[in-house]
Amino acid sequence: MGTIFDVQKSLNEISSGFGNMVLNEVLRADVPEIIREQLYAGKNGRGKNLRPTYDNDPFFKSAEAGPWRNRAKAYKNWKMKVQPPKIGSFLGFAPRSAETPNLIIKGNFHDSIFAIKTADGINVGSEGFSQSGDIEQKYGQVIYGLSPQAKRYLAEHKLKPAVNAYFKKYGLILK
């Protein structure tokens, strides 16, 4: 049987590594892939549909839209053919509607999403895609957040097993 100092030492050891273990598990869980899954379903980090929709996006009224200018409906129909809604989201999202964007055509923006460990936690963003700033300005930084569905997935499928293994290492069993 140990002394109170042994108990304190064990508790300090458990608590000092816990936060780092959680951050490492979140990174190992591939946060960018989770965010891509949300975006593909047309959802932001709050689990809400991406807005503006194709029907009310001012881009389609601008000269910048090129051949799609004043043709949002035609773009929406074309988009449904080249990027049909995904059925079977591992996060449990229903397929997106025709008017909801998913921020993917060729995948350049989706591929540019990263997650890195920082002194404050985890930083998520986009790097190496020239139009990321335009996308962020239009849809907000909330596109890089984890929706309630994503947080549940992460907690249940990634963090819970890791936390159980972590405490088991110290002889503690969680139920």
Side-chain angles (χ1 to χ4, degrees):
M1 183 165 238
T3 68
I4 189 72
F5 299 109
D6 294 331
V7 172
Q8 181 181 1
K9 181 181 174 191
S10 292
L11 289 174
N12 286 342
E13 196 176 306
I14 291 168
S15 66
S16 68
F18 185 76
N20 202 36
M21 181 276 301
V22 169
L23 287 176
N24 287 335
E25 279 305 311
V26 169
L27 287 173
R28 200 175 351 266
D30 198 358
V31 170
E33 183 60 28
I34 293 170
I35 291 170
R36 284 189 285 271
E37 182 75 6
Q38 285 178 174
L39 293 174
Y40 204 93
K43 304 293 183 182
N44 67 23
R46 292 186 189 108
K48 305 290 184 190
N49 288 338
L50 293 172
R51 295 288 184 257
T53 65
Y54 294 128
D55 294 332
N56 60 19
D57 190 335
F59 170 78
F60 291 105
K61 295 189 183 338
S62 72
E64 188 182 351
W68 297 112
R69 186 174 186 184
N70 297 319
R71 297 184 61 224
K73 184 176 180 178
Y75 180 84
K76 183 172 56 174
N77 292 335
W78 172 80
K79 179 71 182 242
M80 289 301 280
K81 289 178 188 165
V82 298
Q83 286 292 324
K86 184 177 178 181
I87 297 172
S89 164
F90 68 82
L91 297 175
F93 288 116
R96 74 180 194 287
S97 64
E99 64 275 349
T100 302
N102 65 357
L103 310 183
I104 187 170
I105 294 293
K106 296 178 183 173
N108 298 349
F109 174 67
H110 280 218
D111 291 343
S112 73
I113 297 171
F114 70 87
I116 58 169
K117 188 173 170 181
T118 66
D120 299 324
I122 294 177
N123 182 31
V124 179
S126 171
E127 186 174 71
F129 179 59
S130 64
Q131 296 170 338
S132 291
D134 296 337
I135 292 170
E136 292 164 9
Q137 186 174 358
K138 184 182 280 190
Y139 297 98
Q141 292 293 314
V142 70
I143 59 175
Y144 299 121
L146 294 177
S147 66
Q149 296 90 322
K151 289 175 185 174
R152 267 192 305 280
Y153 171 84
L154 187 61
E156 189 64 32
H157 297 282
K158 304 297 180 177
L159 293 179
K160 186 176 178 182
V163 168
N164 282 333
Y166 183 81
F167 284 117
K168 188 175 181 181
K169 179 172 82 174
Y170 293 100
L172 301 170
I173 305 295
L174 299 179
K175 293 187 182 195

